[in-house]
């Protein structure tokens, strides 16, 4: 994907609060409930605060999506842990179907999908639909729809494991930035 295209998409995105405002009262309450339960450990906060390269992130989502409700408030907590370097904007999947079609998973328009980019919007990679811990938990339960209803409670151990999965993805993106020859040359480090 072209970095000019990605920059345009990022700039069209909304911050977390503006994105949540697009939902109805029940949807906003579901997102708030997960956000209020989501916290980074001290070790996770220290790691995210240590990021010294700017990264832009697009969170492709659906305000109505159960997996988005269960994961993107966690992602927001990660971004808030280093708001100086981690900049995230949220896009509605259906409003940005052109981007969604470029990041399809197993032939489907799945969300959430996070696109990680460098400071100049060069694509680092994208990751999505469910973190590994989410997949393990859903597979273990083997009941109900594949996408739980927004607001369905997530057990605390699953929440903690899913936070760690997403922290790992952010750390991966930061290490790509930190070890990038072009950025190391630019910053002489």
């Amino acid at each position: 994907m072209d970095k000019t295209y990605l920059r345009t998409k990022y700039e069209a995105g909304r911050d977390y609060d503006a994105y949540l405002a697009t939902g109805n009262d029940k949807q906003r309450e579901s997102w708030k409930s997960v956000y209020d339960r989501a916290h980074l450990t001290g070790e996770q906060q220290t790691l995210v605060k240590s990021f010294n390269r700017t990264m832009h992130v697009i969170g492709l989502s659906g305000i109505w999506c159960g997996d988005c409700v269960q994961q993107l408030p966690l992602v927001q907590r990660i971004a808030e842990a280093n708001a100086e370097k981690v900049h995230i904007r949220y896009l509605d999947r259906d409003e940005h179907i052109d981007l969604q079609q470029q990041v399809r998973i197993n032939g489907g328009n799945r969300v959430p999908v996070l696109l990680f980019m460098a400071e100049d919007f060069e694509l680092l990679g994208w990751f999505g639909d469910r973190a590994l811990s989410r997949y393990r938990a859903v597979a273990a339960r083997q009941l109900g729809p594949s996408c739980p209803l927004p607001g369905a409670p997530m057990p605390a151990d699953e929440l903690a494991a899913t936070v760690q999965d997403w922290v790992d993805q952010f750390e991966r993106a930061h290490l790509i930035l930190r070890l990038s020859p072009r950025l190391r040359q630019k910053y002489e480090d």
Side-chain angles (χ1 to χ4, degrees):
M1 280 175 264
D2 176 73
K3 63 184 178 178
T4 302
Y5 171 78
L6 290 172
R7 181 184 195 125
T8 300
K9 287 297 182 184
Y10 176 86
E11 290 172 352
R14 297 175 176 102
D15 69 21
Y16 188 75
D17 291 333
Y19 180 71
L20 291 187
T22 67
N24 63 39
D25 289 344
K26 185 174 180 173
Q27 291 165 334
R28 284 191 299 275
E29 182 54 39
S30 293
W31 285 68
K32 182 182 181 316
S33 175
V34 175
Y35 179 86
D36 288 347
R37 290 182 57 218
H39 298 285
L40 275 63
T41 65
E43 184 177 307
Q44 291 167 335
Q45 288 180 17
T46 299
L47 172 68
V48 174
K49 285 178 184 179
S50 76
F51 296 174
N52 63 359
R53 295 275 198 262
T54 297
M55 82 174 67
H56 296 289
V57 181
I58 294 172
L60 196 58
S61 176
I63 197 77
W64 43 265
C65 168
D67 282 319
C68 298
V69 170
Q70 297 292 347
Q71 296 180 93
L72 290 183
L74 316 181
V75 166
Q76 181 63 24
R77 287 288 193 182
I78 295 166
E80 290 169 356
N82 191 345
E84 182 181 331
K85 296 295 182 181
V86 179
H87 305 221
I88 187 165
R89 293 288 179 265
Y90 299 90
L91 294 173
D92 180 89
R93 171 191 92 170
D94 297 331
E95 292 175 11
H96 296 272
I97 198 69
D98 58 316
L99 178 58
Q100 173 64 68
Q101 290 174 342
Q102 295 183 61
V103 294
R104 294 178 66 152
I105 297 172
N106 195 27
N109 292 334
R110 303 298 305 257
V111 285
V113 173
L114 268 60
L115 290 89
F116 295 91
M117 298 161 288
E119 63 192 42
D120 60 355
F121 296 92
E122 189 70 47
L123 181 66
L124 303 173
W126 54 274
F127 179 79
D129 152 80
R130 291 182 180 141
L132 180 58
S133 294
R134 271 301 274 158
Y135 268 113
R136 285 178 177 150
V138 170
R141 286 189 289 271
Q142 294 186 17
L143 52 87
S146 63
C147 184
L149 296 174
M154 183 189 305
D157 59 337
E158 181 184 344
L159 181 70
T162 303
V163 168
Q164 185 61 55
D165 287 344
W166 282 109
V167 167
D168 290 346
Q169 290 303 316
F170 276 83
E171 180 184 16
R172 179 181 182 277
H174 179 257
L175 289 172
I176 292 170
L177 292 170
R178 190 67 181 90
L179 295 170
S180 163
R182 75 182 180 91
L183 293 176
R184 291 193 75 186
Q185 182 178 13
K186 177 180 178 178
Y187 292 105
E188 298 179 352
D189 62 0

